[in-house]
Amino acid sequence: MENNDLQKKNNRNRELFQNTLVQASAFLVVILCAILFFFLIFSYNTWTGKLAYVISGLKSILIGIGIAYLLNPIVGSLEKKIHKIYKHPKKIKKANVVIRATSSIVVVLAAVTISGVVLYTILPQVVFSISALIRNFPHYVDEITALIQSNKGLHEFLDNVLTNASEVIAEWLNENVLQNIQNYVTYAASGVLSAVSVLVDVLIGVIISIYVLCSMRTFAGQGKKIVYAFFNKQHAHMILTSMRKSNEIFGGFISGKLLDSLIIGILCFVGLSLLRMPYIALISVIVGVTNVIPFFGPYIGMVPSTLLVMLVDFRKGVIVLVFIIILQQLDGNVIGPKILGKSTGLSAFWVVFSVMFFGKIWGVLGMLFGVPVFGVIYYMAETYVNFRLSQRNLPTDTESYKGLDYFADDGTPISNDGKKTKKELRKEEQRELRRQWMEENREAFERWALEHRKKEDEKKEGEQ
């Protein structure tokens, strides 16, 4: 007896020690996370500078990974079609490697060829449009000057503005431009070298993308292996499911948005050609490129495009403005939803929020990739919240919480006015009627149950 009491006491002490150790470990982890968080905030410039330095060294590899990520769905589709042709190869493993490599090389070469043809077709026209704009710029200035001089009130207003502005500009030129002109020349030269460096990085990235595409399944398998090595099966399954959904959101949005912008650029080129507008190629490129930015992109591209045409002809500028508005409405209501669908699962408010928030943090890249990044964050948060609600036996759909005040102890939702909803009142009434019926017929039910039990007992005795 004493040994049992001593063993129980030892078990309780062991459990107490384990609980204390877990709590202390959790407390230590929280403190370390807090220290790391404040370090990242107060040392923002330091670690972002080092991160930028590391990224600059891996630029070619990152470009290759990006190209491979965009082309992987096409490679997978081509690979399936080749497998259908060669259904039963003799050496399956070797055949899979060859088919994957062949699909990767074909798709990358096709993408490079199409990109080259598009650039070869568009770039000369864009250069011609820019050259024409530069040649005609003095003429546009003369027209604007004549328009201002014909309006006396506007002329006096702009004269005062220009007089004040000229002093500020002269001071700025003396203090900044003239003293730093050598630096600007250096920046211009470095800009040319940077353009050449970027071109070299892209070419190397194209070659790297082939190797990445060929090894995509190997990398995926290694990643899953690491996840299962460090987490139990349930957590590993949850992590891999989240990663698949994140890939679906991010990849679907990026590839879909690029395709959507390409279609809008082509439609803009065709429409402006039919309308016989100036600077067709330049405006089409502006509209197509800016359309990649969600929500704000169409408006960003619409303003400079309209102003360019208005310099030539005000009436044509208005026509271009109306045309671009119609084109963007077509994209927002027909083309975009068909291609993108609900890939991110975000409402219009969260799209605007993500573009503004990540645009403030990461600039143009934040405006481009902010929506899919926030879509992934939103999905993970929603999944975790639904999981916690299901553990508490509470509904996971948002509709159940509209007009809700609180849940009663039995899980009944109470509306905002403090009263139960009609549906819950009807269920409660039905429950009460069933209870009353059971009370009224309890004696008859017990008598029937007793008789049924006697018959069962008699039947068993007869069988024996």
Side-chain angles (χ1 to χ4, degrees):
M1 192 72 179
E2 291 180 359
N3 291 333
N4 292 334
D5 293 339
L6 183 61
Q7 186 176 2
K8 289 180 180 179
K9 186 177 180 180
N10 292 333
N11 291 335
R12 283 197 300 269
N13 292 335
R14 191 181 297 109
E15 290 177 0
L16 180 62
F17 174 75
Q18 290 175 350
N19 292 333
T20 305
L21 182 62
V22 169
Q23 292 175 0
S25 302
F27 183 69
L28 181 61
V29 169
V30 170
I31 292 177
L32 292 175
C33 290
I35 294 172
L36 178 62
F37 177 74
F38 283 107
F39 172 78
L40 292 177
I41 289 178
F42 291 110
S43 303
Y44 178 79
N45 294 328
T46 303
W47 67 265
T48 50
K50 292 180 179 179
L51 181 63
Y53 177 76
V54 173
I55 291 175
S56 65
L58 301 175
K59 197 177 295 181
S60 300
I61 296 176
L62 294 176
I63 292 173
I65 292 173
I67 295 172
Y69 183 76
L70 292 174
L71 297 181
N72 185 55
I74 305 174
V75 173
S77 177
L78 179 61
E79 188 179 8
K80 289 179 181 178
K81 290 181 180 179
I82 297 176
H83 273 294
K84 288 182 180 179
I85 298 174
Y86 300 99
K87 293 183 179 180
H88 304 289
K90 294 181 178 179
K91 297 180 179 180
I92 297 176
K93 189 175 181 180
K94 186 177 180 180
N96 290 337
V97 173
V98 173
I99 291 172
R100 181 70 184 185
T102 304
S103 303
S104 302
I105 294 171
V106 169
V107 170
V108 171
L109 290 178
V112 171
T113 304
I114 293 171
S115 300
V117 171
V118 171
L119 290 175
Y120 181 78
T121 306
I122 292 178
L123 275 181
Q125 298 191 40
V126 173
V127 172
F128 176 78
S129 298
I130 294 174
S131 301
L133 179 63
I134 295 172
R135 285 197 308 271
N136 297 326
F137 191 76
H139 174 67
Y140 301 149
V141 172
D142 293 337
E143 287 187 349
I144 294 172
T145 303
L147 178 65
I148 293 172
Q149 290 178 348
S150 63
N151 191 322
K152 186 177 180 180
L154 182 61
H155 178 70
E156 292 177 356
F157 171 75
L158 290 177
D159 187 44
N160 293 330
V161 171
L162 291 173
T163 301
N164 296 327
S166 61
E167 297 177 0
V168 177
I169 292 172
E171 184 180 353
W172 176 75
L173 288 173
N174 290 326
E175 294 181 358
N176 295 290
V177 177
L178 295 178
Q179 295 180 4
N180 298 315
I181 191 167
Q182 185 177 358
N183 295 333
Y184 294 146
V185 173
T186 305
Y187 293 153
S190 64
V192 175
L193 295 176
S194 297
V196 175
S197 176
V198 168
L199 182 60
V200 173
D201 289 334
V202 170
L203 293 176
I204 297 174
V206 170
I207 298 172
I208 291 174
S209 67
I210 297 176
Y211 290 98
V212 175
L213 284 169
C214 293
S215 305
M216 191 73 79
R217 289 183 178 173
T218 302
F219 293 151
Q222 290 173 344
K224 294 174 185 176
K225 182 179 177 182
I226 292 171
V227 171
Y228 276 104
F230 286 94
F231 300 94
N232 60 44
K233 292 181 180 179
Q234 184 179 3
H235 290 164
H237 175 70
M238 183 175 63
I239 291 171
L240 293 178
T241 303
S242 300
M243 293 301 294
R244 290 190 193 97
K245 185 63 179 179
S246 301
N247 175 61
E248 180 183 335
I249 293 172
F250 200 89
F253 180 85
I254 296 299
S255 57
K257 197 63 181 175
L258 291 175
L259 178 60
D260 175 52
S261 299
L262 177 63
I263 293 172
I264 291 299
I266 293 172
L267 290 178
C268 184
F269 184 86
V270 173
L272 293 179
S273 300
L274 295 175
L275 293 171
R276 298 183 181 277
M277 293 294 162
Y279 311 126
I280 296 172
L282 181 60
I283 293 173
S284 300
V285 170
I286 292 173
V287 171
V289 171
T290 55
N291 191 72
V292 177
I293 301 173
F295 194 81
F296 296 106
Y299 304 102
I300 295 173
M302 182 174 61
V303 174
S305 302
T306 304
L307 291 177
L308 279 175
V309 181
M310 281 185 174
L311 289 174
V312 180
D313 189 330
F314 184 82
R315 184 180 61 84
K316 287 185 176 181
V318 174
I319 294 174
V320 169
L321 176 64
V322 174
F323 171 76
I324 293 177
I325 291 174
I326 294 173
L327 184 63
Q328 297 301 342
Q329 291 299 315
L330 176 66
D331 176 43
N333 296 296
V334 180
I335 300 175
K338 287 287 184 182
I339 296 175
L340 296 173
K342 295 182 178 180
S343 57
T344 59
L346 298 177
S347 63
F349 169 78
W350 290 119
V351 171
V352 175
F353 172 82
S354 56
V355 171
M356 294 182 68
F357 178 76
F358 288 102
K360 184 69 175 177
I361 298 176
W362 298 331
V364 177
L365 287 177
M367 298 179 75
L368 293 175
F369 299 106
V371 173
V373 169
F374 189 80
V376 172
I377 296 172
Y378 187 91
Y379 163 75
M380 291 184 174
E382 184 182 31
T383 303
Y384 179 74
V385 169
N386 290 340
F387 171 73
R388 298 290 294 178
L389 289 172
S390 62
Q391 284 185 324
R392 291 168 169 77
N393 295 321
L394 294 174
T396 57
D397 59 300
T398 307
E399 291 295 327
S400 301
Y401 295 86
K402 292 181 179 179
L404 176 72
D405 190 14
Y406 62 92
F407 282 102
D409 294 338
D410 59 351
T412 303
I414 308 300
S415 62
N416 284 331
D417 55 1
K419 298 178 181 179
K420 295 180 180 179
T421 60
K422 291 182 179 180
K423 184 177 180 181
E424 294 302 322
L425 287 172
R426 198 180 306 115
K427 286 184 178 180
E428 190 173 295
E429 185 179 353
Q430 292 174 355
R431 249 191 328 263
E432 182 63 22
L433 290 173
R434 285 196 297 270
R435 189 188 65 78
Q436 291 177 2
W437 183 86
M438 289 294 293
E439 288 290 337
E440 293 173 356
N441 297 276
R442 177 175 292 177
E443 293 182 1
F445 180 75
E446 290 177 353
R447 189 166 51 253
W448 174 84
L450 183 61
E451 291 176 356
H452 181 72
R453 196 178 298 113
K454 286 181 179 180
K455 289 181 180 179
E456 288 291 329
D457 292 340
E458 291 175 357
K459 186 177 180 181
K460 289 180 181 179
E461 290 177 0
E463 289 176 356
Q464 291 176 356

